[in-house]
């Protein structure tokens, strides 16, 4: 049987301090030792089941990391204070001054800015490519390239990366293949298609309640150990720790991720199909006209659907702004960035989450100023929401 990520989470057994069905929340930043010798041993090589200091590991972040690495089928994992810190620490651990990264050009604006503006200050440069053009990816790899970086389904254009082909290309040149799977947890298992590191913004679908920021990376034990090295580990020394109470609450939310992803996908498909039936320019990988629809079908776990992210191009920034204001009034959802909430969230990436990308480059990659990105919610009655959407489109003259 093929890998079943939700079953892997379901089978984790946890015993809290008093036998609780959820792990007890650890309320200490430092931990006692019965002898100085044990402390010394802990510093030198670590001791299974022992904790030293909560920036290194704390029990709750370890439980969450273990559950996520089970979900991804990787040897190990680590959780961090945000998606950006998971991405930043991973890249800093893998690259040093003089190294290059080849990255998809359609990625989250914060990641783009990290690669384009920040890492060059440390001598690490990035070549941005159209990740669906494999000749362009191959041509961008040089002897200095260390990392191939992509999102599984890109933010905000919803391009689907051909993970097995990209993994093969990366491994032929001894690169580490890093995949951000934030838009599609459970839908894709990138490590099964050759990803060496899977990074997440937990802030989105995985936590699902828009009440906290967090990040994670799932990878080989060797890389996680390197990130946590007291001498030169990026996660250990830069210190982006996820608070224990947040780790505990995110683990509890992870338990219902399979139900939520099915509902997001069911509503996302209904939303996209309705917009398409009105002949509006909608992008959704679940629609047959999406350029990577067949590829996604081949790589996904079909039971979780095509995801909750949909985009609609309304032609201009003015149209987008008018429509978003009206949709909020009509209770379609919230005008807000982020994704993976029970309510539908919408924003215009050109002026918000992708504003770090210069306008000329946005145009070159097909990111129009009129593009609205929807994270479709968990609405029980999606027909009611679609009625509100139609009413909103009528009010601004787009239908
Ligand atoms: N990756 C993707 C695809 C994102 O959409 C985001 C945030 O919007 C991030 C990473 C960064 O995550 P965080 O905001 O948790 O730092």
């Amino acid at each position: 049987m093929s890998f079943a990520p939700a079953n892997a989470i379901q089978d984790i057994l946890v015993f809290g301090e008093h036998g609780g069905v959820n792990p007890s929340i650890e309320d200490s930043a430092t931990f006692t030792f019965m002898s100085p010798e044990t402390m010394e041993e802990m510093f030198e090589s670590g001791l299974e089941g022992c904790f030293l200091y909560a920036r290194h590991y704390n029990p709750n972040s370890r439980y969450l990391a273990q559950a996520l690495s089970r979900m991804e089928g990787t040897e190990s994992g680590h959780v961090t204070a945000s998606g950006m810190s998971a991405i930043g620490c991973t890249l800093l651990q893998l690259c040093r001054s003089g190294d290059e990264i080849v990255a998809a050009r359609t990625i989250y604006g914060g990641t783009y800015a990290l690669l384009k503006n920040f890492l060059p200050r440390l001598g690490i440069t990035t070549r941005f490519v159209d990740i669906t053009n494999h000749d362009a990816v191959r041509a961008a790899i040089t002897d200095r390239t260390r990392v191939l970086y992509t999102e599984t389904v890109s933010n905000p254009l919803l391009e689907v990366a051909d993970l097995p082909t990209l993994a093969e290309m990366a491994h032929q040149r001894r690169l580490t293949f890093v995949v951000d799977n934030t838009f599609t947890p459970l839908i894709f298992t990138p490590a099964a298609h050759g990803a060496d590191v899977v990074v997440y913004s937990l802030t989105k679908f995985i936590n699902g309640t828009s009440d906290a920021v967090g990040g994670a990376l799932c990878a080989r034990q060797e890389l996680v150990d390197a990130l946590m090295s007291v001498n030169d580990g990026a996660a250990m020394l830069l210190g982006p720790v996820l608070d224990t109470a947040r780790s505990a609450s995110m683990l509890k939310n992870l338990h219902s991720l399979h139900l939520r992803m099915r509902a997001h996908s069911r509503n996302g498909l209904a939303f996209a199909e309705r917009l398409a039936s009105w002949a509006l320019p909608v992008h959704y990988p679940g629609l047959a006209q999406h350029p990577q629809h067949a590829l996604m079908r081949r790589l996904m776990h079909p039971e979780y659907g095509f995801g909750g992210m949909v985009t609609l191009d309304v032609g201009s920034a003015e149209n987008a702004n008018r429509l978003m204001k009206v949709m909020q009034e009509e209770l379609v959802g919230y005008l807000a960035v982020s994704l993976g909430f029970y309510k539908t969230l919408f924003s215009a990436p050109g002026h918000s989450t992708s504003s770090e990308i210069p306008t000329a480059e946005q145009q070159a990659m097909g990111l129009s100023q009129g593009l609205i990105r929807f994270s479709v919610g968990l609405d029980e009655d999606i027909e009611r929401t679609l009625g509100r959407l139609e009413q909103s489109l009528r009010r601004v003259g787009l239908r």
Side-chain angles (χ1 to χ4, degrees), residues 81-85 87 107-108 111 149 151 153 155 180-183 200-204 213-215 338-339 353 373:
S82 65
M84 283 314 300
S85 56
I87 296 166
I107 48 176
Y108 166 58
T111 312
Y149 186 95
E151 291 171 3
V153 173
N155 184 358
D180 181 337
N181 199 39
T182 297
F183 275 24
Y200 276 109
S201 167
L202 300 180
T203 319
K204 313 291 162 45
V213 175
S338 204
L339 40 130
T353 49
R373 185 189 76 179

Side-chain angles (χ1 to χ4, degrees), residues 51-253:
F51 294 91
L52 173 70
Y53 178 60
R55 172 156 52 79
H56 195 202
Y57 285 118
N58 67 67
N60 297 97
S61 64
R62 186 162 269 187
Y63 278 126
L64 178 58
Q66 278 170 353
L68 291 167
S69 62
R70 289 271 193 107
M71 176 175 100
E72 293 304 320
T74 56
E75 248 175 40
S76 188
H78 184 67
V79 298
T80 61
S82 65
M84 283 314 300
S85 56
I87 296 166
C89 288
T90 299
L91 296 177
L92 287 172
Q93 197 64 38
L94 294 170
C95 301
R96 58 190 62 211
S97 180
D99 289 347
E100 292 177 359
I101 296 168
V102 171
R105 60 184 185 172
T106 58
I107 48 176
Y108 166 58
T111 312
Y112 179 89
L114 174 75
L115 296 169
K116 179 88 188 282
N117 307 328
F118 189 88
L119 291 183
R121 288 162 43 181
L122 307 174
I124 302 164
T125 51
T126 297
R127 291 164 191 253
F128 292 97
V129 292
D130 172 354
I131 206 75
T132 63
N133 179 346
H134 296 157
D135 288 337
V137 177
R138 207 171 283 112
I141 298 172
T142 72
D143 290 343
R144 290 172 171 265
T145 313
R146 296 286 166 267
V147 168
L148 178 60
Y149 186 95
T150 191
E151 291 171 3
T152 320
V153 173
S154 73
N155 184 358
L157 292 176
L158 311 182
E159 287 171 345
V160 183
D162 184 345
L163 300 181
T165 304
L166 293 167
E168 198 185 330
M169 226 183 274
H171 297 151
Q172 268 168 5
R173 300 293 300 267
R174 296 178 188 280
L175 315 184
T176 303
F177 185 32
V178 181
V179 176
D180 181 337
N181 199 39
T182 297
F183 275 24
T184 46
L186 295 180
I187 298 173
F188 285 101
T189 303
H193 298 300
D196 300 298
V197 187
V198 184
V199 290
Y200 276 109
S201 167
L202 300 180
T203 319
K204 313 291 162 45
F205 288 104
I206 290 186
N207 188 44
T209 40
S210 285
D211 56 352
V213 175
L217 59 103
C218 297
R220 292 186 311 278
Q221 188 64 48
E222 192 189 348
L223 179 66
V224 174
D225 288 347
L227 275 156
M228 296 315 296
S229 161
V230 292
N231 293 312
D232 63 357
M236 182 65 186
L237 300 178
L238 297 174
V241 181
L242 187 60
D243 180 70
T244 49
R246 283 305 185 191
S247 293
S249 67
M250 287 189 188
L251 180 62
K252 284 177 274 190
N253 288 358

